[in-house]
Amino acid sequence: MKIFIDTANIDRIKEINDWGILDGVTTNPSLIAKEGKDLRTIVTEISKIVDGPISAEVMSMDAEGMVKEGLELSKIHPNINIKLPMCIESLKATKILSSKGIKVNMTLIFSAQQALLAAKAGASFVSPFVGRLDDIGIDGTQLLTEISTIFNNYGIQTEIIAASIRNPIHVSMAALAGCDIATIPYDVLKQMISHPKTTEGIEKFIADYNKSKGN
Ligand code: G3P
């Protein structure tokens, strides 16, 4: 499973990219708003750091505007894909953008039916939101399994990005469901590294080594 970071913070992207595990980046308008810089500036900076897909979301709510914004954003770098919010207008825009070779990430996916329609329109990625389903008492990870099963049943090539990830268990569940990608917030990536038994083991190895050296 590929690992993307879900942030627009350049320092954090640089830090995680240095780990050597980063395959791409997703941003959204809320994440961009936190950084105090505009979308174009941020995705241009990201494209100089990360060699992989970078999602940039449009703000238009009509197909014509989505296509116009998408075409402009896609000129920034070949790795830019256009993030569209699931709706009828975005299905139309997906058809047009994908026919021009521009990859679309259909976001705000909360049902398998929405994912199926996005794939049919030509989306390269669908982003089911796990955490936001959990927030309303619905098992978000079940949706990942449903989409994965449906896409496998029909050989659909659209990649599944498990999004709205809130904890390391969501990441494992995304991998078990067969998702292609998990887009993970910085704090969750950090949590994924640590395990108390690993810390304990490292400390013991160092202590035993030092003892054997008479330190
Ligand atoms: O980028 C889309 C998604 O990952 C947002 O996550 O935590 O705001 O539900 P969250």
Side-chain angles (χ1 to χ4, degrees):
M1 184 173 69
K2 284 172 269 187
I3 291 184
F4 290 7
I5 187 168
D6 195 27
T7 186
N9 183 280
I10 297 299
D11 289 339
R12 289 182 163 195
I13 292 168
K14 278 186 187 154
E15 182 185 333
I16 303 300
N17 191 51
D18 284 348
W19 290 7
I21 53 92
L22 197 60
D23 298 302
V25 179
T26 52
T27 67
N28 65 37
S30 307
L31 295 170
I32 296 288
K34 281 190 205 166
E35 301 306 318
K37 287 184 270 185
D38 66 86
L39 174 64
R40 282 193 76 85
T41 306
I42 289 176
V43 291
T44 302
E45 285 181 47
I46 297 173
S47 66
K48 289 177 188 155
I49 303 164
V50 179
D51 183 19
I54 301 158
S55 287
E57 190 158 339
V58 303
M59 294 312 298
S60 299
M61 284 310 296
D62 62 294
E64 195 185 333
M66 287 174 177
V67 170
K68 195 165 170 250
E69 272 189 72
L71 288 173
E72 280 306 310
L73 288 167
S74 69
K75 283 183 200 153
I76 296 173
H77 193 279
N79 283 344
I80 305 289
N81 58 70
I82 307 306
K83 210 173 184 189
L84 303 178
M86 179 67 197
C87 60
I88 293 170
E89 290 301 301
S90 65
L91 287 177
K92 296 180 200 167
T94 298
K95 190 84 196 162
I96 297 166
L97 288 169
S98 62
S99 72
K100 293 178 187 294
I102 294 164
K103 290 186 173 180
V104 169
N105 172 4
M106 192 70 90
T107 190
L108 290 166
I109 295 286
F110 289 94
S111 74
Q113 302 90 320
Q114 290 178 323
L116 187 58
L117 289 173
K120 292 281 289 182
S124 297
F125 309 95
V126 287
S127 291
F129 276 35
V130 180
R132 291 193 199 182
L133 275 175
D134 287 359
D135 290 346
I136 57 165
I138 296 170
D139 180 4
T141 62
Q142 178 60 31
L143 175 60
L144 303 179
T145 305
E146 286 177 20
I147 298 172
S148 184
T149 304
I150 291 168
F151 283 11
N152 281 336
N153 284 349
Y154 294 97
I156 292 170
Q157 296 303 304
T158 303
E159 292 188 85
I160 303 168
I161 305 181
S164 186
I165 296 278
R166 302 278 171 75
N167 56 58
I169 296 169
H170 281 159
V171 179
S172 313
M173 295 305 285
L176 285 167
C179 291
D180 304 279
I181 300 151
T183 188
I184 309 172
Y186 174 84
D187 290 342
V188 177
L189 282 162
K190 287 266 175 122
Q191 281 178 287
M192 285 166 65
I193 294 276
S194 50
H195 192 288
K197 294 301 285 182
T198 307
T199 311
E200 180 191 293
I202 290 171
E203 283 167 2
K204 184 162 174 13
F205 287 150
I206 291 169
D208 290 346
Y209 176 79
N210 285 339
K211 241 186 278 165
S212 74
K213 293 280 163 200
N215 294 335

